[in-house]
Amino acid sequence: MADDDRVGVRNTVHGGLRDSTLIQAQSVDVHRHEVVPRRWTTWAEDLARQVRDVEQAAWRRLLGDDHRRIDLRYRLVDEAGRPARNAREAGRTLAFESALPSGPGGSSESEPSRLPDIWTYFTSLSPRRLVITGPAGSGKTMLALELLLALIEKRGPGHPVPVRIPLASWDTRTSLDELLIDQLRRVYDWPRRRARQLVEHRLVLPVLDGLDEMDEPLPSGHTDPNAPRARDALEALNRHQHGREPGALVLTVRDEAYAALARSEEPDRKRRLLDAARVAVEPVPAPDALAYITERATDRTRWQPLLDHLAAYPDGPLAQRLSTPWRLCLVATVYEAGGDPGELLQRRRARKLDEFLLSRYIQAVTALHPGGHDHADAHRWLHPLARHARGDGDADNGPHAVLALHELWRMEGARKIFDTRLVASLIAYILLPWVSTAFGLTPNVVGFTAALIAGATLAWKDYPLDVNPRTLRHLVPWRHPGLVAALLAVTAAVGGATWLALDFRWAVSAVAGMVLPAAVASLLRRPSDVATPRQVMRQEFTATAASALLVIVGSVATLSHWYSFGDSLIIAVPVTLYGAAFSYGGAGSRYLAFRYGTRGTFPLRLGAFLDWAAEAGLLRRSGSGFEFRHRELRDWLADHTTAARPSTARPRRTPPRRSAG
């Protein structure tokens, strides 16, 4: 019997031991993993490798490109109703043998392996549903990432693959299964059919990050107790099932937001996650914080005043303010290359401390990761992206947690793209008489081209809101069986006509329609590596160019029956390029229109800048897009148009005072 099988047996003994003893198993409860077909197991292994590669990079960025990990502690929050079974009272992030030693008086020595690590804690739950809560910067996402990577490292054949999804991008009008399928398709480039099979057979475990980011906060900054999107999300998560059991999942949310949802008069399924264990991340103990900063401090002379103060006053105001992983990472990054950490002793309020550190964070990052970008330019370019990510000025769609290049057109809106298309149509009509005079075209050619442009312009009154980037896989004819049958019938008819008429131009059209897509398909493989945001756009432009080439070749071969070869090119090339750019270009044309509409706002090589920001730790990659490193950083950038001037004054160092005795 496998280790993960759960067996419950209740025995009854009849008679004495000296007599013939009868032991009857009155009830046997065995839960085995269902047999998974080999192809699904292979797909799950491929997906696990993709997720591991993406999330390991995100995990490293959250650590500030350092190996030092903070062993976060968490405690079970008692809730009335239907909690998960087998939930322990407390736990830790790392296994005891993996945890690094704490500073003097730390908790690692006093709390041995009694506390389970996050993998053990989660896998012992029944059902496996976990809610991770905590204040801002407490390490909720880091704890979820540690769990995700541990589940991948220790997963066996047929076990689900954890996939992290920012909840702010979830349109709750779609189901959770559709959200997971779309995530596999967009982020990991999985065909929809395979993604659906993995999701429907529960081979994908959702790790849902940021329930509190789904709705805009109140003007006061507090959580909106109504939070309609968050409530719809909770209702959908409570419907998530695996057979007759609640489906496994992990959810992160700020404790204030979760408490506000629970205080409402809504039904339970809209107030909290049922059949789940809720844990609250605890503040980092002062000895652990001191040990973390000590290991990150390469120049002890500069750091010594701060280290001495934290050692002397482990319960002081500054130690309490530096009790979250986010603030500890901010301090370590800001003063890694230079500066006086002792100036933090003058910051006595948490809000002032955050403002002080965030105002110097981008400058410190650009110094540590030189990429040809000035910190003021980096701030200026990130400011509109932060406002867009927070949802400023976009009441209809709300926050955009993931910044994907092919979706940044939403910053300008679909109307400007539509206006651009109309302007292009007018320019085309103005140029047509000049082109006809210059090239000596017949009126029929001019009229036919004008009619095609008008048809392409009026084909859609507006762009649909959801246009995903395409790859060469979209040219494979057998992705759509109905179209394949129609294409085979047309090819047979064309082949017969070609045989009778001995006209090779029709043969060229048939070859371009069938052989070229098949040749392209031979280059395609199953999903292997997650495409970077810039690769996504390159694939979009490549697919658009390849499809335009097919249309041009087929159109020229067809039009050559009525027009000369030159006239056929004059008709086919501009109409096809116009249609690809303004009517049927999809994500590529949207991106080009966005860059034109925001010229001067962003650098010329926006994709390269975002890649640098992710490497530097300002952003983190989320599949084929980017997220801001932390919500506090995003909000600070959104609220500050320009970068703060670097301070040149050196504050007075205050020597630490040690308590008497």
Side-chain angles (χ1 to χ4, degrees):
M1 185 173 291
D3 294 338
D4 289 336
D5 297 338
R6 301 194 303 276
V7 182
V9 179
R10 186 169 68 251
N11 294 327
T12 303
V13 180
H14 299 274
L17 293 176
R18 294 182 181 180
D19 301 327
S20 57
T21 303
L22 175 62
I23 300 177
Q24 179 182 4
Q26 290 185 334
S27 65
V28 180
D29 182 22
V30 181
H31 299 278
R32 292 181 179 271
H33 291 287
E34 61 183 85
V35 178
V36 179
R38 178 61 184 173
R39 66 179 185 279
W40 295 350
T41 302
T42 303
W43 295 349
E45 291 173 355
D46 292 338
L47 178 61
R49 178 176 50 79
Q50 290 180 298
V51 175
R52 181 198 62 204
D53 293 343
V54 170
E55 300 300 354
Q56 273 185 346
W59 171 82
R60 191 177 68 253
R61 295 290 178 268
L62 286 178
L63 291 176
D65 279 331
D66 195 88
H67 69 281
R68 182 66 165 96
R69 299 152 73 185
I70 301 176
D71 190 16
L72 295 172
R73 307 298 203 274
Y74 46 90
R75 293 199 173 274
L76 180 68
V77 179
D78 292 329
E79 290 185 313
R82 289 161 44 186
R85 300 180 295 275
N86 304 330
R88 312 281 184 90
E89 289 298 324
R92 61 193 302 169
T93 303
L94 310 176
F96 179 69
E97 59 273 11
S98 302
L100 295 176
S102 298
S107 55
S108 291
E109 295 297 332
S110 60
E111 292 186 11
S113 55
R114 293 194 305 268
L115 291 180
D117 64 283
I118 185 61
W119 180 85
T120 304
Y121 193 97
F122 178 74
T123 54
S124 65
L125 295 176
S126 178
R128 294 179 179 177
R129 293 160 71 89
L130 180 66
V131 181
I132 302 174
T133 63
S138 59
K140 301 180 296 295
T141 299
M142 175 59 72
L143 186 60
L145 277 178
E146 290 280 3
L147 173 59
L148 181 148
L149 294 174
L151 288 171
I152 291 178
E153 290 172 0
K154 300 179 181 182
R155 68 177 296 273
H159 288 205
V161 180
V163 175
R164 185 172 64 93
I165 304 177
L167 275 179
S169 59
W170 183 12
D171 182 356
T172 53
R173 291 172 296 184
T174 62
S175 65
L176 177 61
D177 283 358
E178 287 298 327
L179 173 69
L180 295 173
I181 293 169
D182 187 62
Q183 182 79 358
L184 298 188
R185 185 174 60 85
R186 290 190 303 105
V187 175
Y188 299 103
D189 195 25
W190 278 79
R192 177 174 288 275
R193 180 180 61 84
R194 291 187 182 183
R196 182 175 296 279
Q197 289 180 342
L198 288 178
V199 171
E200 289 180 349
H201 291 85
R202 296 299 178 252
L203 289 174
V204 177
L205 191 156
V207 179
L208 307 169
D209 193 12
L211 179 69
D212 53 289
E213 297 186 19
M214 297 189 69
D215 297 279
E216 286 295 309
L218 298 174
S220 61
H222 296 291
T223 303
D224 183 2
N226 296 321
R229 294 183 64 211
R231 295 195 183 282
D232 291 342
L234 284 175
E235 186 176 17
L237 298 182
N238 283 318
R239 289 197 303 264
H240 181 56
Q241 284 189 295
H242 183 188
R244 290 178 292 177
E245 290 286 329
L249 59 88
V250 179
L251 177 67
T252 71
V253 56
R254 292 190 180 187
D255 47 11
E256 176 193 357
Y258 203 63
L261 292 171
R263 286 193 298 266
S264 69
E265 300 297 330
E266 296 284 344
D268 276 355
R269 66 180 183 275
K270 286 191 173 186
R271 294 194 298 119
R272 61 187 179 88
L273 186 64
L274 302 176
D275 303 297
R278 175 189 172 187
V279 297
V281 181
E282 296 185 331
V284 179
D288 291 357
L290 179 61
Y292 175 82
I293 295 178
T294 302
E295 286 206 5
R296 292 288 301 267
T298 55
D299 183 1
R300 295 291 179 88
T301 303
R302 289 189 299 111
W303 288 87
Q304 202 59 49
L306 177 62
L307 298 177
D308 290 344
H309 181 88
L310 294 177
Y313 303 103
D315 298 324
L318 183 58
Q320 293 179 5
R321 291 196 292 270
L322 298 181
S323 61
T324 66
W326 168 236
R327 287 200 183 110
L328 288 172
C329 185
L330 272 179
V331 170
T333 303
V334 167
Y335 294 106
E336 182 174 348
D340 180 17
E343 61 189 354
L344 296 180
L345 304 181
Q346 309 299 321
R347 309 292 166 179
R348 302 188 178 279
R349 295 184 180 179
R351 185 170 183 178
K352 293 292 185 181
L353 176 65
D354 291 342
E355 288 281 338
F356 179 78
L357 292 174
L358 288 170
S359 65
R360 286 155 176 77
Y361 182 64
I362 296 180
Q363 183 182 3
V365 164
T366 53
L368 292 172
H369 302 272
H373 305 295
D374 181 72
H375 78 279
D377 289 336
H379 185 114
R380 178 167 57 87
W381 296 331
L382 289 172
H383 168 70
L385 293 175
R387 288 178 53 83
H388 176 64
R390 195 169 64 177
D392 293 1
D394 193 356
D396 295 333
N397 299 313
H400 304 274
V402 178
L403 301 172
L405 288 176
H406 61 275
E407 293 180 348
L408 290 181
W409 65 271
R410 298 173 186 269
M411 294 178 64
E412 289 298 304
R415 181 64 190 174
K416 280 197 173 183
I417 299 176
F418 185 59
D419 292 343
T420 304
R421 186 173 56 185
L422 292 180
V423 171
S425 302
L426 293 176
I427 294 176
Y429 277 108
I430 292 173
L431 292 180
L432 272 178
W434 179 85
V435 172
S436 63
T437 304
F439 291 93
L441 301 179
T442 62
N444 290 336
V445 173
V446 178
F448 188 64
T449 305
L452 288 178
I453 291 179
T457 302
L458 300 177
W460 290 341
K461 293 184 178 180
D462 204 349
Y463 273 117
L465 291 180
D466 296 317
V467 174
N468 293 305
R470 294 166 292 195
T471 65
L472 292 177
R473 188 181 291 111
H474 288 77
L475 300 181
V476 182
W478 46 82
R479 283 173 54 90
H480 309 284
L483 294 180
V484 172
L487 191 56
L488 289 175
V490 171
T491 303
V494 170
T498 303
W499 179 264
L500 295 176
L502 297 178
D503 191 338
F504 290 100
R505 290 174 294 185
W506 285 99
V508 171
S509 178
V511 169
M514 289 297 295
V515 177
L516 187 56
V520 170
S522 65
L523 302 176
L524 302 177
R525 299 175 295 177
R526 65 187 181 190
S528 56
D529 299 323
V530 179
T532 64
R534 282 196 288 174
Q535 288 174 340
V536 169
M537 294 311 305
R538 293 192 190 107
Q539 292 175 2
E540 160 70 20
F541 291 130
T542 301
T544 301
S547 58
L549 178 61
L550 291 178
V551 173
I552 289 174
V553 172
S555 300
V556 170
T558 303
L559 293 173
S560 296
H561 286 278
W562 296 280
Y563 301 99
S564 66
F565 180 76
D567 288 352
S568 300
L569 283 177
I570 291 296
I571 295 175
V573 173
V575 172
T576 301
L577 295 181
Y578 175 86
F582 295 104
S583 286
Y584 307 103
S589 62
R590 288 169 179 265
Y591 179 72
L592 293 177
F594 154 73
R595 292 311 311 271
Y596 176 78
T598 58
R599 58 192 183 280
T601 305
F602 298 108
L604 181 62
R605 301 183 62 200
L606 177 58
F609 167 71
L610 295 178
D611 283 341
W612 169 84
E615 292 296 326
L618 296 170
L619 305 174
R620 67 172 184 254
R621 284 198 178 92
S622 178
S624 57
F626 301 93
E627 293 179 83
F628 276 92
R629 164 74 180 276
H630 197 275
R631 180 175 172 179
E632 305 297 324
L633 175 62
R634 182 204 69 184
D635 291 343
W636 188 84
L637 282 168
D639 293 335
H640 294 78
T641 307
T642 58
R645 294 182 179 180
S647 176
T648 57
R650 296 178 63 87
R652 177 177 59 86
R653 293 189 179 183
T654 302
R657 297 177 298 168
R658 297 192 178 272
S659 58

